[in-house]
Amino acid sequence: MRLFKPALTALSAAILFASTTVMADPITIKFSHVVAENTPKGQMAKKFQQLVEERLGDKVDVELYPSSQLYGDDKVLEAMLLGDVQLAAPSLSKFQKYTDQLQVFDLPFLFKDMAAVESFQASEIGQSLLTSLESKGLVGLGYLHNGMKQLSASSPLTVPEDASGKKFRIMTSDVLEAQFEAIDAISLKKPFSEVFILLQTRAIDGQENTYSNIYSQKFFEVQPYITESNHGVLDYMVVSSARFWEGLPDDVRGEVKSALDEAIVYGNELSEAKNEEAKQAIIASGQSEIVMLDAAQRQQWVDAMKPVWGEFADDIGQNIVDAAEAANQ
């Protein structure tokens, strides 16, 4: 028996070393998004990376891919279902392929401000929308704010007639397409990463976005007018694949979710300040004029676009639309 002891000892050591090596391999979370690092989403992602590193050390490695370095929002969900990405935060419009319910966030002039948006998202119906993707293999983990959308264009937009015949880039969203049809404008569904060159070359006349995106992506440098319309909300859903998320060890998943929740709160707190900061920077640049609407002008936009609600109420669910509208109280 003694003759076998060294061999057994060596074998045991090899097994122990192999298991230790396997255990030491970190779980990689590739977090892909389309905006710059200095935006609320970009800062949220960096905060998440920092918190995970502090709390989980070598167990989890978070890799960040901002500015469409890895995937654009049009492709990231497909990549996630294939296991090529583990975390993303596409705009809510991008989920139309997977559920009609999230189209509620695209309805024009539905929310009067971000407080109303947050109130709805925190409600029972708002939270239930996070689970509306489960049948498609996706898990909603939280809402991330960017802010209220403004209209930029090559000429001033003060009343809906000013947009007639003009071409606007939109995200892939039937609601947003209907929104521009309602004011006799032409909408083009194009990736976010292409917007600057489309504006610069005058291939399109305008676009809709938050002040922070208009500033960070330098759209204001090629758009002489920005109308402060606050006509819609640009928010995101932080999402993972059900296969990846449920496959995480319980203790790791709990820590990752805790870090993500904290990072989302941080990003949302930044959002309002970032938008105001960006607005002031645009004004200071002198490259783009901000057009302020009076009450009568704004009401014309509301009257023109609000019929879009009725077009999509059945698809979204009238109860969801009603709950969102009630959040304005």
Side-chain angles (χ1 to χ4, degrees):
M1 292 294 292
R2 288 182 182 177
L3 294 174
F4 292 100
K5 280 186 177 180
L8 288 172
T9 301
L11 179 61
S12 298
I15 292 171
L16 178 62
F17 176 78
S19 64
T20 302
T21 303
V22 170
M23 289 175 62
D25 288 344
I27 297 167
T28 299
I29 299 178
K30 294 181 180 179
F31 189 165
S32 173
H33 65 83
V34 301
V35 295
E37 289 186 323
N38 63 340
T39 60
K41 188 195 294 188
Q43 291 298 298
M44 168 271 188
K46 292 182 73 173
K47 183 72 170 179
F48 171 68
Q49 182 186 50
Q50 172 195 332
L51 291 172
V52 168
E53 183 177 350
E54 289 174 0
R55 296 174 185 179
L56 290 166
D58 294 336
K59 287 186 179 180
V60 177
D61 180 24
V62 176
E63 300 176 359
L64 303 182
Y65 296 91
S67 301
S68 303
Q69 290 176 8
L70 203 57
Y71 294 100
D73 274 355
D74 291 326
K75 298 293 185 182
V76 73
L77 295 176
E78 294 174 17
M80 180 173 286
L81 291 171
L82 292 171
D84 295 333
V85 177
Q86 288 70 47
L87 208 62
S91 61
L92 292 163
S93 300
K94 299 298 182 181
F95 293 97
Q96 178 181 312
K97 180 179 177 181
Y98 301 91
T99 176
D100 289 329
Q101 294 179 330
L102 290 171
Q103 292 183 105
V104 66
F105 291 103
D106 282 342
L107 294 177
F109 295 104
L110 177 58
F111 299 104
K112 67 179 182 180
D113 53 29
M114 289 306 298
V117 174
E118 190 153 294
S119 176
F120 173 64
Q121 290 175 345
S123 71
E124 183 177 349
I125 288 181
Q127 286 295 296
S128 73
L129 295 181
L130 291 172
T131 65
S132 64
L133 305 163
E134 289 182 350
S135 65
K136 305 297 184 181
L138 298 170
V139 178
L141 301 173
Y143 294 107
L144 182 64
H145 301 330
N146 190 310
M148 302 302 288
K149 292 187 293 187
Q150 321 303 337
L151 286 167
S152 74
S154 54
S155 59
L157 303 176
T158 55
V159 293
E161 289 75 18
D162 293 333
S164 179
K166 288 187 168 56
K167 291 182 286 187
F168 291 85
R169 176 266 176 179
I170 62 168
M171 294 179 284
T172 302
S173 164
D174 291 343
V175 175
L176 298 182
E177 186 173 16
Q179 167 189 284
F180 281 104
E181 285 178 356
I183 55 174
D184 196 30
I186 302 162
S187 57
L188 299 173
K189 298 174 181 178
K190 295 291 185 179
F192 185 70
S193 57
E194 296 178 13
V195 178
F196 180 86
I197 192 67
L198 290 169
L199 294 170
Q200 187 181 45
T201 59
R202 297 295 181 94
I204 57 176
D205 300 296
Q207 57 87 52
E208 57 171 12
N209 238 303
T210 60
Y211 278 122
S212 65
N213 279 354
I214 291 170
Y215 181 70
S216 66
Q217 299 297 318
K218 302 185 186 301
F219 297 160
F220 72 99
E221 294 182 358
V222 289
Q223 289 276 265
Y225 299 97
I226 301 168
T227 297
E228 187 166 294
S229 54
N230 290 318
H231 64 281
V233 61
L234 178 57
D235 265 17
Y236 314 106
M237 183 182 286
V238 182
V239 65
S240 185
S241 73
R243 179 184 297 179
F244 171 76
W245 189 251
E246 292 165 8
L248 289 173
D250 290 346
D251 59 330
V252 172
R253 184 170 59 249
E255 288 290 352
V256 170
K257 182 61 164 67
S258 176
L260 186 60
D261 289 344
E262 189 172 327
I264 287 173
V265 170
Y266 173 75
N268 287 346
E269 288 174 349
L270 281 179
S271 176
E272 186 173 354
K274 280 279 185 183
N275 276 302
E276 183 57 32
E277 180 184 302
K279 176 183 175 179
Q280 295 306 318
I282 292 169
I283 292 171
S285 75
Q287 292 180 275
S288 188
E289 177 186 339
I290 293 180
V291 178
M292 304 299 295
L293 302 176
D294 62 33
Q297 290 168 338
R298 189 172 192 277
Q299 190 59 48
Q300 289 185 56
W301 289 92
V302 174
D303 293 343
M305 290 184 172
K306 192 171 180 179
V308 172
W309 296 15
E311 293 181 43
F312 293 90
D314 288 344
D315 293 337
I316 296 168
Q318 187 64 56
N319 64 316
I320 295 174
V321 177
D322 291 343
E325 186 177 16
N328 291 302
Q329 305 303 319

